[in-house]
């Protein structure tokens, strides 16, 4: 089966007539051909960090990756479908264009947002390619998921795929509320300060996930690795942070991973839960709609829980989702080559980039950027008056 993303990149690169097109085209065509040769197995791909092409790219451009990986955080891939705008905006050299093009192609093939010290960063609501593949390849998804999970029935698969996109969009709404809430940002900054003080080699790199380790009670487990007190304290604090804000973890300091609801026997965000019955459980930042048909008692409990946390404008979840996308791309674009002189009209051009990437018009992008600043600074309490 042909890989659409890589073929589009190859076609775009050919149309652009780059000065260094032969070098870039060779790399992108090679990846596209290899992806195509995988045939039906292309739906199930490994991680980018296991791909020898990625390791070769890092080996050949070690300094570039080191410069981008500031403070051991995350390098997100740029949307190379907008390569002409990106090239002109950053004034990329031919070598930088090649790195960005190949890195983007590899990340999109493996459905990764980026990497952190050779760990893949994945967040389904931002992985549009995954959503499209999942919906288009439902028959294959049914057979492969059933093979992996055993007892998942067709009804459950159809239910998941049918609601998949809206579920992910609601998770984006939850993430948008979190990253614009002053109390969350203050707690995040406190955890980040603890993280920065961890000793080298502690292996606490992104994605940071809440732990599920059995607490140490005695020495009956000879295989147990005893962690220094400082690391144990960080784990306890991070788990409490995740519990307070109902997160699965942090994919970067700007990208929280909200827990999804447990409805209808499974958690939309965790395929492994689909075959396990679960009590209805709705995180306070999950937007709940009338069509979800929650039991009235559960609905009332959720409303009270949300209000206690300050999430009073759930009806605006789509605006929060849009604001999250704008903020996510604003951060990536502004930090990618942070020491480089920006072109004249920087803000206007960066908004044009975000507009092309997200599909929102420039005026909407500008309005959402301003709204984010007002919310994060506690000038506005919510989105209730946002239009």
């Amino acid at each position: 089966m042909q890989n659409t993303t890589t073929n589009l990149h190859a076609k775009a690169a050919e149309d652009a007539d780059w000065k260094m097109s032969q070098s870039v085209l060779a790399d992108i065509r090679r990846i596209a051909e290899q992806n195509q040769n995988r045939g039906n197995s292309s739906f199930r791909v490994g991680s980018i960090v296991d791909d020898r092409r990625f390791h070769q790219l890092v080996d050949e451009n070690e300094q570039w990756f080191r410069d981008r990986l500031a403070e051991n955080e995350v390098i997100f891939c740029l949307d190379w479908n907008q390569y002409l705008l990106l090239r002109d905006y950053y004034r990329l050299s031919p070598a930088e264009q090649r790195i960005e093009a190949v890195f983007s192609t590899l990340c999109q093939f493996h459905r990764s947002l980026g990497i952190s010290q050779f760990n893949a960063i994945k967040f389904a609501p931002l992985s549009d390619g995954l959503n499209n593949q999942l919906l288009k390849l439902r028959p294959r998804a049914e057979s492969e998921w059933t093979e992996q999970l055993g007892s998942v029935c067709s009804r459950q698969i159809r239910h998941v795929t049918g609601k998949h996109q809206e579920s992910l969009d609601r998770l984006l709404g939850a993430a948008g509320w979190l990253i614009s809430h002053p109390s969350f940002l203050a707690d995040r900054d406190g955890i980040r300060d603890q993280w920065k003080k961890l000793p080298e080699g502690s292996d606490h790199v992104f994605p940071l996930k809440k732990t599920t380790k059995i607490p140490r009670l005695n020495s009956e487990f000879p295989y147990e690795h005893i962690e220094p007190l400082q690391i144990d304290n960080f784990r306890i604090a991070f788990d409490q942070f995740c519990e307070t804000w109902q997160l699965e973890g942090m994919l970067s300091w700007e990208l929280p991973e909200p827990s999804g609801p447990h409805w209808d026997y499974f958690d939309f965000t965790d395929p492994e839960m689909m075959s396990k019955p679960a009590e209805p459980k709705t995180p306070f930042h999950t937007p709940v709609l009338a069509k979800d048909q929650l039991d009235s008692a559960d609905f009332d409990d959720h409303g009270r829980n949300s209000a206690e946390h300050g999430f009073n404008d759930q009806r605006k979840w789509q605006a929060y989702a849009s604001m999250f996308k704008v903020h996510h791309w604003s951060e990536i674009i502004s930090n990618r080559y942070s020491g480089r002189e920006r072109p004249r009209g920087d803000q206007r051009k960066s908004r044009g980039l975000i507009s092309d990437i997200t599909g929102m018009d420039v005026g909407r992008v500008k309005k959402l950027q301003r709204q984010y600043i007002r919310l994060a600074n506690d000038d506005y309490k919510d989105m209730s008056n946002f239009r």
Side-chain angles (χ1 to χ4, degrees), residues 97-286:
Q97 292 179 55
R98 176 186 173 278
I99 296 167
E100 294 282 12
V102 178
F103 183 49
S104 170
T105 304
L106 286 169
C107 282
Q108 291 196 36
F109 173 65
H110 290 287
R111 297 191 286 277
S112 296
L113 297 177
I115 57 98
S116 172
Q117 295 203 355
F118 298 103
N119 290 329
I121 303 298
K122 295 192 176 187
F123 185 41
L126 294 178
S127 303
D128 293 336
L130 171 61
N131 301 344
N132 294 335
Q133 290 285 349
L134 184 62
L135 294 173
K136 290 177 182 177
L137 302 178
R138 178 180 291 174
R140 189 181 301 159
E142 287 195 28
S143 64
E144 293 198 1
W145 285 7
T146 302
E147 177 186 335
Q148 292 177 28
L149 302 177
S151 60
V152 179
C153 67
S154 295
R155 182 188 65 80
Q156 288 174 311
I157 295 295
R158 285 195 297 274
H159 191 69
V160 172
T161 54
K163 291 189 173 182
H164 188 71
Q165 183 61 59
E166 186 183 277
S167 306
L168 298 180
D169 288 343
R170 286 200 236 176
L171 280 177
L172 273 188
W177 182 86
L178 286 166
I179 55 103
S180 61
H181 195 280
S183 296
F184 172 79
L185 295 174
D187 285 357
R188 178 208 63 183
D189 291 346
I191 286 292
R192 178 166 55 187
D193 289 343
Q194 282 186 255
W195 175 79
K196 287 181 177 179
K197 295 174 183 176
L198 292 177
E200 286 190 30
S202 62
D203 199 32
H204 281 72
V205 296
F206 289 101
L208 292 171
K209 299 284 189 175
K210 64 182 178 184
T211 59
T212 55
K213 286 181 61 177
I214 299 174
R216 289 204 304 270
L217 300 178
N218 52 46
S219 58
E220 292 179 9
F221 304 99
Y223 53 82
E224 184 176 49
H225 176 63
I226 306 299
E227 297 284 12
L229 182 61
Q230 185 182 8
I231 296 176
D232 268 351
N233 287 341
F234 171 77
R235 282 182 174 170
I236 292 168
F238 186 76
D239 286 349
Q240 183 58 56
F241 169 73
C242 290
E243 185 67 25
T244 298
W245 295 103
Q246 296 186 281
L247 308 174
E248 297 304 304
M250 295 291 288
L251 303 177
S252 79
W253 292 121
E254 296 292 334
L255 183 52
E257 184 178 12
S259 297
H262 285 202
W263 293 337
D264 242 346
Y265 298 98
F266 45 79
D267 178 353
F268 288 130
T269 64
D270 184 0
E272 293 182 0
M273 290 295 296
M274 288 193 300
S275 60
K276 302 175 184 179
E279 291 295 322
K281 181 179 178 182
T282 311
F284 74 85
H285 45 54
T286 296

Side-chain angles (χ1 to χ4, degrees), residues 89 330 333-334 342-355 362 365-366 369-370 373:
Y89 179 77
S330 296
I333 289 170
S334 64
R342 290 288 187 263
R344 181 177 297 179
D346 171 39
Q347 280 196 335
R348 178 178 54 82
K349 290 186 177 180
S350 68
R351 284 174 183 149
L353 266 175
I354 296 168
S355 172
V362 174
V365 169
K366 182 178 180 179
Q369 285 177 328
R370 290 180 173 178
I373 293 171

Side-chain angles (χ1 to χ4, degrees), residues 14-59:
E14 194 167 10
D15 291 344
D17 191 26
W18 291 352
K19 293 179 182 177
M20 28 61 79
S21 60
Q22 293 307 312
S23 172
V24 176
L25 278 173
D27 285 318
I28 293 181
R29 282 174 175 156
R30 174 170 49 81
I31 293 172
E33 289 170 2
Q34 290 174 346
N35 293 349
Q36 183 176 349
N37 291 337
R38 291 173 181 243
N40 290 336
S41 66
S42 63
F43 181 74
R44 187 188 294 172
V45 297
S47 171
I48 184 175
V49 297
D50 299 321
D51 194 320
R52 60 178 177 78
R53 296 167 297 184
F54 169 68
H55 288 275
Q56 181 180 349
L57 183 67
V58 175
D59 290 342

